[in-house]
């Protein structure tokens, strides 16, 4: 028995118990080693004429035995000599594969010691620990190997605790078998699951689907036995099992291929199978980056939001591969929250992975990739918007909320990326429009973008404060989603770009007090009228007991006797919405409401007359009705519907 070196023992212990969080990756590691071994042999055949290998014959075979409880990974690659076994598997953290890679990468093709193009091979190993992950699931591991060009085979065997033995063995051909004797099942872990056809094929497809050599397995199938010629009438068909060797992995990483060589149908198929969707994606984006950091990415915008999209369970992220092997299912850092609907794959051989290959050492690399992908997604969505507007509209109905929320959640810092991708409903054009489309239809003198927020479109379109602005010839964006007002608030303004020119248009809620639509003259008149009626307005404000900041004569021309407006950022709708939010505090910030009275309306004359006649009781009753009415018009709840109904009835009687 050869003993592991002391450091090796410690490391092995660490490996088995702490480095990996996920036991099932052992198969990924063994298959990666097998792939490296065939790759190395293939590489030798390219640089050495005496090595005669047909690439099509190179393969990895996975097998299992559910009685012996073993999983075996075999390859017909380069194999290991007795010395190799001792050196490579006896010393933990010694990676021969890494040496191979650095050694050969140094030599450009054509140089004296030159080799064939390294892009022909794709060595995965680098840390010299992957093999030992087999001890996470195995109580014993036996490796039988025969080096290419040698006529003897050797077996390395270890229980992963003290040491290992190396003894003579038999193997018909060059290559290696790694046989893992699974641990006994415990209450927490059923290791036996790994010795099943389903368990293994699942893991292969999950982690090693894009390994470049075929991963073959004997699959058990069932077929109907032929009906005997002399079968009686009541003959029941009989079934029998048989086995067939199948290639489990799909091998070709579609994201590495030039997009000009892949049909959209192929992309769609890949998307539907790998991301479990029934529908084709709405958009497909490919990225092939070359430079200090090489990577390929294939991104999809789904046509429909998944059912859990707007729940806490939904997890964003892209699948991260390194040299065709899955590292992480959903790498969150690769997409910003506001593009969390994007699915896809990123693959880079240049990532500095941490030792377990479960995560990355340097997040900078991810950040560089993420930034580039964000630009790509943005550009593609902009093209989508410009080239296929109908498609973009339905995309926006699915995912627009995410982008609007993104503006708000980033406190407006994502504004530059998102503002021109947003759509809102235009009251004038009666369809979804971008800010640019809104402005393209605006009169010369318009200096702001107007919006109104409420429950539904029909309702909003009829609101007096909306119709007033419309009557002036200005369009109003009708916002019916909860997030809209918050989004508008975070945006603050929209910067319209025309060539070099930039012009900022503030976003104004039509119910905010100063819309900037009135002339100085009109303002002065209204102020004077307010002054003149101070006595009446005090009684009215009094009637509403603190629910309004003040009562004034309105500068807005509307048909309604009164309208409610707000001062400051908080609108009535926003206040109502916040109040409905589960877990909202008792003491909520309140909006500052102004009751604006229409000086041209006959009701105003009635109020004035009552006040002059000393009938302030009537003024108060009417004020309270008018206030509730104004709330109802805005689609907001009133405090006391019964009192309101009674007051109206009394009036009629
Ligand atoms: P890594 O793959 O990161 O180099 P491992 O611990 O998985 O580290 O493997 C250590 C070394 O053992 C490899 O570098 C390789 O030289 C050798 N090895 C492992 N598996 C095989 C195999 N199936 N065929 C040939 N050599 C292998």
């Amino acid at each position: 028995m050869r003993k592991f070196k002391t450091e090796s023992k410690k490391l092995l212990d660490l490996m088995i118990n702490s480095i990996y969080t996920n036991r099932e990756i052992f198969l990924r590691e063994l298959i990666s080693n097998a792939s490296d071994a065939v790759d190395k042999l293939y590489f030798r055949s390219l640089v050495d004429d005496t090595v005669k290998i047909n690439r099509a014959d190179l393969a990895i075979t996975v097998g299992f035995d559910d009685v012996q409880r073993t999983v075996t990974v075999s390859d017909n690659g380069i194999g290991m000599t007795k010395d190799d076994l001792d050196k490579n598997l006896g010393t933990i953290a010694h990676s021969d594969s890494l040496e191979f890679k650095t050694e050969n990468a140094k030599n450009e093709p054509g140089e004296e010691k030159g080799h064939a193009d390294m892009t022909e091979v794709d060595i995965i190993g680098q840390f010299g620990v992957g093999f030992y992950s087999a001890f996470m699931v195995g109580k014993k591991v036996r490796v039988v190997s025969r080096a290419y060009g040698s006529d003897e085979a050797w077996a390395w065997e270890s229980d992963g605790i003290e040491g290992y033995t190396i003894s003579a063995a038999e193997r018909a051909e060059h290559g290696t078998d790694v046989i893992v004797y699974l641990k006994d099942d415990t209450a927490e872990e059923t290791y036996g699951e790994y010795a099943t056809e389903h368990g293994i094929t699942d893991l292969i497809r999950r982690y090693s689907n894009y390994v470049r050599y075929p991963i073959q397995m004997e699959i058990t199938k069932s077929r109907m036995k032929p009906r005997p010629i002399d079968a009686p009438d009541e003959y029941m068909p009989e079934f029998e099992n048989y086995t067939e060797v199948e290639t489990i992995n799909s091998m070709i990483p579609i994201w590495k291929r030039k997009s000009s060589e892949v049909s959209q149908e192929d992309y769609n198929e890949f998307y539907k199978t790998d991301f479990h969707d029934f529908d084709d994606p709405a958009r497909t984006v490919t990225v092939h980056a070359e430079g200090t950091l090489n990577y390929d990415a294939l991104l999809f915008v789904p046509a429909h939001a998944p059912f859990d999209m707007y729940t806490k369970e939904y997890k964003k992220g892209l699948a991260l591969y390194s040299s065709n092997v899955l590292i992480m299912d959903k790498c969150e850092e690769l997409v910003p929250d506001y593009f969390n609907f994007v699915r896809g794959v990123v693959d880079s051989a240049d990532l500095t992975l941490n030792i377990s290959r479960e995560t990355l050492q340097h997040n900078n690399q991810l950040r560089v990739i993420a930034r580039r992908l964000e630009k790509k997604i943005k550009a593609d969505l902009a093209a989508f918007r410009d080239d296929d507007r109908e498609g973009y509209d339905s995309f926006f109905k699915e995912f627009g909320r995410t982008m609007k929320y993104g503006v708000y959640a980033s406190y407006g810092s994502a504004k530059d990326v998102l503002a021109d991708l947003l759509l809102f409903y235009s009251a004038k054009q009666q369809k979804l429009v971008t800010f640019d489309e809104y402005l393209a239809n605006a009169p010369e003198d318009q200096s702001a973008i107007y919006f109104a927020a409420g429950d539904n479109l029909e309702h909003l379109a009829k609101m007096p404060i909306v119709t007033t602005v419309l009557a002036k010839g200005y369009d109003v964006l009708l916002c019916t989603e909860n997030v809209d007002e918050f989004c508008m608030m975070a945006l603050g303004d929209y910067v319209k770009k025309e060539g070099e020119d930039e012009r900022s248009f503030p976003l104004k809620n039509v119910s905010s007090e100063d819309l900037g639509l009135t002339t100085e003259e009109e303002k002065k008149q209204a102020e004077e009228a307010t002054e003149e009626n101070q006595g009446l307005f005090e009684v009215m404000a009094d009637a509403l007991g603190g629910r309004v900041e003040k009562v004034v004569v309105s500068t807005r021309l509307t048909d309604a006797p009164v309208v409610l407006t707000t001062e400051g950022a908080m609108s009535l709708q926003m206040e109502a919405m916040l109040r409905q939010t589960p877990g909202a505090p008792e003491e909520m910030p309140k909006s500052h409401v102004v009751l604006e009275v229409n000086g041209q309306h006959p009701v105003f004359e009635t109020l004035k007359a009552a006040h002059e006649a000393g009938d302030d009781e009537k003024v108060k009753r009417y004020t309270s009705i008018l206030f509730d009415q104004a709330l109802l018009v805005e689609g907001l709840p009133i405090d006391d519907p019964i009192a309101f109904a009674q007051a109206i009835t009394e009036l009629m009687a």
Side-chain angles (χ1 to χ4, degrees):
M1 158 100 80
R2 300 167 197 229
K3 294 206 181 281
F4 286 121
K5 299 203 181 74
T6 334
E7 321 83 78
S8 290
K9 263 188 75 178
K10 275 194 208 129
L11 194 57
L12 186 58
D13 190 52
L14 197 69
M15 276 286 311
I16 300 171
N17 299 307
S18 352
I19 293 183
Y20 291 98
T21 50
N22 205 353
R23 289 198 175 94
E24 65 190 23
I25 57 87
F26 83 94
L27 194 64
R28 175 190 80 176
E29 296 297 326
L30 297 182
I31 289 175
S32 299
N33 282 349
S35 165
D36 283 355
V38 282
D39 231 3
K40 285 174 192 166
L41 184 58
Y42 176 60
F43 183 75
R44 273 206 22 208
S45 77
L46 296 177
V47 296
D48 183 347
D49 286 345
T50 63
V51 179
K52 299 228 180 308
I53 290 294
N54 189 352
R55 194 182 188 282
D57 296 335
L58 295 172
I60 300 160
T61 308
V62 182
F64 68 93
D65 181 330
D66 53 5
V67 181
Q68 300 289 328
R69 290 171 63 92
T70 59
V71 177
T72 303
V73 178
S74 303
D75 65 72
N76 55 3
I78 193 138
M80 284 177 273
T81 61
K82 189 180 175 191
D83 269 4
D84 290 339
L85 283 170
D86 193 29
K87 194 175 71 177
N88 294 336
L89 305 186
T91 329
I92 301 173
H94 173 268
S95 174
D96 193 43
S97 293
L98 182 63
E99 271 170 29
F100 176 90
K101 194 155 53 172
T102 35
E103 175 67 18
N104 290 296
K106 270 185 276 180
N107 300 291
E108 291 297 323
E111 279 181 23
E112 197 206 326
K113 210 185 137 199
H115 296 308
D117 188 356
M118 272 302 275
T119 56
E120 287 288 321
V121 295
D122 209 345
I123 299 292
I124 305 164
Q126 51 176 326
F127 295 116
V129 297
F131 169 76
Y132 301 95
S133 63
F135 290 107
M136 289 191 300
V137 300
K139 54 183 176 191
K140 183 171 93 176
V141 179
R142 180 178 162 87
V143 180
V144 179
S145 194
R146 177 168 158 185
Y148 180 83
S150 162
D151 49 14
E152 44 185 47
W154 292 92
W156 178 100
E157 214 174 282
S158 171
D159 59 3
I161 303 169
E162 283 304 320
Y164 55 93
T165 57
I166 296 180
S167 53
E170 294 287 317
R171 199 179 196 279
E173 211 201 354
H174 57 87
T176 305
D177 310 302
V178 179
I179 306 143
V180 182
Y181 293 81
L182 296 172
K183 291 183 185 177
D184 300 330
D185 290 351
T186 63
E188 293 87 49
E189 190 84 25
T190 45
Y191 297 97
E193 175 67 19
Y194 299 124
T196 62
E197 188 176 296
H198 172 78
I200 292 175
T201 49
D202 244 24
L203 290 183
I204 294 175
R205 288 202 190 95
R206 214 162 113 67
Y207 290 104
S208 311
N209 203 21
Y210 303 104
V211 164
R212 302 193 311 170
Y213 294 94
I215 303 170
Q216 296 176 329
M217 196 167 157
E218 224 171 55
I219 299 290
T220 306
K221 301 188 165 178
S222 174
R223 66 181 160 210
M224 207 191 287
K225 282 189 184 167
R227 185 190 165 104
I229 311 165
D230 56 353
D233 283 352
E234 63 279 10
Y235 172 79
M236 291 290 279
E238 283 178 34
F239 291 86
E240 64 183 355
N241 283 346
Y242 69 103
T243 57
E244 205 170 75
V245 174
E246 270 188 18
T247 298
I248 309 299
N249 57 332
S250 74
M251 291 189 279
I252 307 154
I254 192 169
W255 56 84
K256 287 220 170 137
R257 291 163 58 190
K258 279 201 199 111
S259 47
S260 54
E261 289 164 7
V262 184
S263 70
Q264 187 58 46
E265 280 71 44
D266 288 345
Y267 281 132
N268 292 353
E269 269 324 300
F270 170 75
Y271 168 74
K272 287 190 282 194
T273 335
D274 272 44
F275 297 97
H276 314 289
D277 199 343
F278 295 113
D279 300 306
D280 291 343
R283 303 292 285 182
T284 306
V285 182
T286 54
V287 185
H288 302 285
E290 277 172 29
T292 39
L293 191 60
N294 298 295
Y295 59 90
D296 302 286
L298 176 56
L299 311 177
F300 298 101
V301 174
H304 300 289
F307 70 94
D308 61 348
M309 178 87 200
Y310 294 104
T311 67
K312 280 205 188 79
E313 279 67 49
Y314 182 79
K315 284 207 169 33
K316 64 163 185 166
L318 304 175
L320 182 64
Y321 285 79
S322 183
S323 302
N324 304 340
V325 177
L326 181 70
I327 303 299
M328 235 183 288
D329 247 351
K330 285 198 172 171
C331 180
E332 286 184 38
E333 286 94 332
L334 288 171
V335 271
D337 282 342
Y338 43 85
F339 291 149
N340 69 1
F341 46 84
V342 174
R343 314 294 309 270
V345 171
V346 174
D347 189 354
S348 172
D350 295 346
L351 299 174
T352 27
L353 301 171
N354 83 351
I355 201 159
S356 68
R357 302 206 285 147
E358 284 173 347
T359 45
L360 272 77
Q361 277 178 339
H362 301 300
N363 279 321
N364 291 2
Q365 295 177 319
L366 286 186
R367 267 194 292 274
V368 170
I369 300 177
R371 225 172 299 138
R372 169 86 185 269
L373 295 186
E374 173 178 337
K375 284 213 184 85
K376 273 285 201 173
I377 299 168
K378 158 78 203 244
D380 186 74
L381 291 178
F384 193 11
R385 174 199 65 204
D386 298 340
D387 305 341
D388 171 13
R389 191 43 192 279
E390 215 177 292
Y392 188 77
D393 279 7
S394 41
F395 151 77
F396 197 81
K397 281 178 191 141
E398 296 288 323
F399 301 112
R401 191 155 26 128
T402 302
M403 296 198 287
K404 290 186 207 162
Y405 185 76
V407 173
Y408 170 65
S410 68
Y411 302 104
S413 67
K415 177 177 162 174
D416 287 348
V417 183
L418 298 173
D420 65 353
L421 294 177
L422 301 180
L423 300 179
F424 293 95
Y425 190 85
S426 145
K428 218 173 177 177
Q429 306 179 43
Q430 307 218 337
K431 61 177 186 194
L432 290 170
V433 295
T434 61
F435 286 124
D436 281 328
E437 288 161 350
Y438 172 97
L439 289 170
N441 276 291
E444 277 290 301
D445 66 337
Q446 185 169 346
S447 61
I449 293 172
Y450 302 104
F451 68 93
D455 277 351
N456 68 66
L457 292 175
E458 293 76 47
H459 202 140
L460 274 173
K462 284 189 215 137
M463 258 165 56
I465 36 179
V466 172
T467 50
T468 327
V469 179
L470 285 172
K472 291 227 172 206
Y474 303 140
D475 196 359
V476 180
L477 298 173
L478 306 181
C479 300
T480 51
E481 279 194 301
N482 279 354
V483 68
D484 287 346
E485 255 192 294
F486 295 97
C487 170
M488 293 293 198
M489 203 167 69
L491 282 170
D493 71 345
Y494 178 74
V495 180
K496 184 180 169 186
K497 297 188 183 81
E498 240 165 356
E500 290 290 284
D501 288 349
E502 289 194 350
R503 193 173 154 206
S504 155
F505 289 84
L507 298 166
K508 289 200 170 178
N509 190 330
V510 290
S511 69
S512 70
E513 199 196 26
D514 183 19
L515 277 188
L517 290 179
T518 30
T519 62
E520 284 308 309
E521 183 58 30
E522 284 167 331
K523 264 192 205 159
K524 218 173 116 207
Q525 275 176 11
E527 270 161 28
E528 278 167 13
T530 304
E531 199 57 37
E532 275 166 32
N533 293 286
Q534 208 43 50
L536 168 65
F537 290 167
E538 266 163 33
V539 177
M540 290 176 74
D542 198 35
L544 297 174
R547 282 189 291 170
V548 298
E549 294 286 304
K550 58 185 178 186
V551 182
V552 298
V553 170
S554 182
T555 51
R556 296 160 209 260
L557 293 175
T558 87
D559 300 338
V562 298
V563 294
L564 296 175
T565 62
T566 43
E567 288 177 319
M570 176 88 75
S571 74
L572 274 166
Q573 280 81 10
M574 214 186 259
E575 184 189 319
M577 199 164 71
L578 287 175
R579 222 182 297 132
Q580 283 166 14
T581 315
E586 283 283 316
E587 280 299 310
M588 291 285 288
K590 284 208 173 333
S591 51
H592 304 295
V593 184
V594 178
L595 180 69
E596 294 190 13
V597 180
N598 181 351
Q600 316 298 320
H601 203 282
V603 166
F604 183 51
E605 295 307 318
T606 312
L607 289 168
K608 273 208 299 206
H611 181 61
E612 272 156 28
D615 190 357
D616 280 349
E617 273 318 301
K618 183 173 173 180
V619 173
K620 286 185 178 175
R621 239 181 314 137
Y622 279 26
T623 304
S624 142
I625 293 174
L626 287 169
F627 181 75
D628 282 350
Q629 232 179 37
L631 280 175
L632 289 174
V633 165
E634 298 248 353
L636 293 166
I638 56 177
D639 281 352
D640 191 346
I642 298 171
F644 175 71
Q646 271 169 357
I648 301 264
T649 319
E650 252 171 56
L651 210 62
M652 291 194 273

